[in-house]
Amino acid sequence: MSADAFGPDYHLQHPLFKNALQLIEESGSLVNVDKNVLERLKRPKRCLVVSVPVRMDDYSVKVFTGYRVQYNSTLGPYKGGVRYHQDVSLGEVVGLSALMMLKNSVLGLPYGGGKGGITVDPTKLSRTEKQNMTRRYTSELGTSIGPQIDIPAPDVGTDAQTMAWMMDTYSQERGYTCPGVVTGKPIEIGGTVGRTGATGLGVVYIAERTYQRLGKTMTGSTIAIQGFGNVGAHAAQYAYERGAKIVAVSDVTGGIFNGDGLHIPQLQQWLKDHKTIAGFPNSQKITNEELLLLSVDSLFPCALDGVINEKNVDQVKAKIIIEGANGPLTNEASQVLHKKGVVIVPDVIANGGGVVVSYFEWVQDIMSYFWDEEEINKRLSSILYKAFDTSFALAKEKNVDMRKAAIACAVQRLEKAMLLRGLYPR
Ligand code: NAD
């Protein structure tokens, strides 16, 4: 381990954070962002590290480490998920919180950026242990979170039940029910309709917009989708309903292909019955790698990060790529494909549907008045289209890829707000 790892700023050395800083620097200089603003954007405002002692089922006590990083609150309360994973570190959470700041900003939401987590393998905990840990973590965060301060949400290893425990703990400690402290809750306690499929639906709204801008239509076009989980399966369903031909999908076990298009509702049923897409009738088996290289109109990578990289980028044939997952293309691969004329919509916009509908959940909780799904989806498309159109136009104007343009839009919005608010005390 390098000496840096033990320096005072060791948490600012994480590769994920360095990558975020590079994006901020490069995009900021593209639109001549004020250099003092850039300096401020390169540091997290506040990092909380808490010990989380938990009574285990065998009555012993284990102490876990929890984090909440509040990166920037210029545009509103901090907002971002809580991750339970054995690899969670302060550095990783700092990087993820910076990316949340950029995502919330480019989407035009009234939020700053935040992220939290606990270093733990949640699959090794019983339900009771997970509940105890979640409640103590929430209690340790104390007054640092709240509907006007910092609003957590689910991420890797956490779910609607985790958010229910967080909301209940926060509410018990204050003496009144406070649904707006977290989003991603079950509908019965202040969650919103439309949240589960929101990210996949957002991917499809963005794909449709991209086709439109290129003078094409999604109906009848061919699409390959990597990943058939929450994002991939919903994206497949919504694209299928719009008449697209989903010629290939994959999961962790590999992919399936049918040049005439897969019957997605039947595939959903197959997955329910068999727990995998493998063996689906009328399909040919392909590998995950082959799926990425298919000759299709568009590709939705909705599983893992870094799957399109310097090793396979030269063989990618899709003309449109919509990043459903976080970071499925490396920055370098993205630039190579951009030079070849491929349109790549970056994750901060393409998978923004989840956080946009989280925002709607928070608004509804505050109003104590709930919208129907039609209302949610109309508002979702309007926010995503606006973010897409602004970034698409800037990419064209500056002749850069959409990732750089989207981050530049995010940084510009932050710059305007920071300059208007000024530097406290002066
Ligand atoms: P998920 O766990 O529901 O599904 C993941 C899918 O990827 C599964 O089908 C799994 O089998 C597949 N998979 C795993 N390893 C694979 C491999 N090696 N090759 C091919 N497929 C593989 O997860 P999700 O919620 O759909 O999230 C997918 C991605 O989207 C992640 O990058 C996540 O961070 C990102 N994302 C999710 C949301 C959301 O609302 N769920 C929002 C924004 C971003």
Side-chain angles (χ1 to χ4, degrees):
M1 204 176 275
S2 77
D4 274 349
F6 301 103
D9 286 339
Y10 74 94
H11 59 293
L12 306 181
Q13 309 299 324
H14 195 279
L16 201 69
F17 183 53
K18 287 190 160 174
N19 187 40
L21 287 186
Q22 194 189 340
L23 284 174
I24 293 172
E25 286 264 10
E26 286 177 8
S27 303
S29 64
L30 182 73
V31 285
N32 299 319
V33 166
D34 180 278
K35 77 175 183 359
N36 292 326
V37 166
L38 267 189
E39 275 313 291
R40 291 174 65 190
L41 287 179
K42 290 195 290 194
R43 287 289 179 121
K45 183 174 157 80
R46 188 179 296 141
C47 301
L48 299 165
V49 182
V50 294
S51 290
V52 186
V54 179
R55 176 81 62 197
M56 307 301 280
D57 290 346
D58 65 2
Y59 226 68
S60 67
V61 173
K62 262 197 187 156
V63 184
F64 299 93
T65 306
Y67 308 95
R68 186 76 193 167
V69 175
Q70 302 181 327
Y71 197 90
N72 185 292
S73 62
T74 302
L75 299 170
Y78 307 99
K79 178 100 192 83
V82 175
R83 180 171 291 196
Y84 290 173
H85 193 273
Q86 57 275 19
D87 295 339
V88 164
S89 65
L90 179 57
E92 181 185 76
V93 180
V94 170
L96 292 168
S97 68
L99 292 172
M100 278 312 297
M101 169 187 74
L102 297 170
K103 186 181 225 176
N104 292 335
S105 179
V106 71
L107 292 169
L109 303 181
Y111 287 140
K115 198 86 183 188
I118 302 182
T119 314
V120 62
D121 179 353
T123 63
K124 302 238 159 76
L125 299 182
S126 70
R127 181 184 157 91
T128 309
E129 290 167 343
K130 199 168 162 185
Q131 177 171 179
N132 292 346
M133 184 181 75
T134 300
R135 288 187 180 279
R136 185 61 189 249
Y137 170 67
T138 310
S139 177
E140 290 298 336
L141 295 182
T143 52
S144 298
I145 57 170
Q148 302 302 334
I149 304 170
D150 184 353
I151 307 131
D155 192 69
V156 175
T158 56
D159 55 15
Q161 178 61 70
T162 321
M163 294 306 112
W165 291 328
M166 286 191 83
M167 180 278 238
D168 185 66
T169 306
Y170 184 88
S171 299
Q172 293 296 341
E173 292 189 346
R174 270 140 203 91
Y176 60 96
T177 296
C178 190
V181 64
V182 290
T183 59
K185 299 177 295 293
I187 289 178
E188 295 80 356
I189 55 168
T192 183
V193 292
R195 174 66 185 85
T196 317
T199 306
L201 179 58
V203 166
V204 171
Y205 281 145
I206 288 297
E208 275 185 308
R209 196 69 163 184
T210 312
Y211 278 93
Q212 252 177 32
R213 284 286 171 273
L214 301 177
K216 298 175 180 178
T217 167
M218 186 191 248
T219 310
S221 75
T222 54
I223 302 178
I225 304 181
Q226 184 183 49
F228 205 68
N230 182 285
V231 181
H234 281 105
Q237 182 64 34
Y238 291 122
Y240 177 86
E241 285 167 10
R242 284 158 174 77
K245 257 196 230 173
I246 319 298
V247 294
V249 302
S250 67
D251 64 14
V252 67
T253 64
I256 54 172
F257 174 84
N258 179 336
D260 295 329
L262 297 157
H263 193 287
I264 299 299
Q266 284 174 10
L267 179 59
Q268 304 263 25
Q269 190 55 47
W270 178 270
L271 178 67
K272 241 189 214 159
D273 297 341
H274 298 82
K275 308 281 170 256
T276 173
I277 60 168
F280 182 61
N282 296 324
S283 71
Q284 180 189 330
K285 193 171 188 274
I286 56 169
T287 65
N288 258 298
E289 187 61 20
E290 284 166 343
L291 179 141
L292 296 171
L293 310 179
L294 286 172
S295 186
V296 283
D297 294 311
S298 50
L299 173 67
F300 302 172
C302 298
L304 305 172
D305 62 339
V307 290
I308 298 178
N309 48 48
E310 80 276 10
K311 288 194 197 118
N312 59 5
V313 65
D314 291 332
Q315 300 163 64
V316 171
K317 296 171 205 76
K319 298 171 203 80
I320 295 172
I321 302 180
I322 312 291
E323 290 193 330
N326 283 320
L329 278 80
T330 61
N331 281 344
E332 295 70 27
S334 192
Q335 275 161 33
V336 170
L337 290 170
H338 167 70
K339 282 190 189 128
K340 280 193 187 168
V342 179
V343 177
I344 302 154
V345 186
D347 48 9
V348 281
I349 297 175
N351 69 28
V355 69
V356 172
V357 176
S358 269
Y359 162 54
F360 296 158
E361 178 177 336
W362 176 75
V363 169
Q364 293 170 90
D365 286 339
I366 288 171
M367 296 190 299
S368 290
Y369 182 80
F370 289 83
W371 299 326
D372 60 21
E373 199 155 345
E374 197 183 329
E375 181 78 36
I376 297 273
N377 293 347
K378 198 174 73 190
R379 290 175 187 270
L380 170 63
S381 62
S382 149
I383 287 186
L384 290 178
Y385 290 166
K386 193 169 167 204
F388 176 92
D389 291 349
T390 316
S391 301
F392 190 80
L394 186 67
K396 241 184 166 173
E397 182 197 323
K398 301 279 183 188
N399 192 22
V400 293
D401 62 359
M402 264 191 88
R403 180 185 320 281
K404 204 175 252 182
I407 303 297
C409 290
V411 173
Q412 260 183 333
R413 180 170 174 233
L414 283 156
E415 178 196 33
K416 281 184 196 147
M418 284 170 101
L419 292 177
L420 282 167
R421 289 184 61 165
L423 179 62
Y424 178 83
R426 69 182 180 81

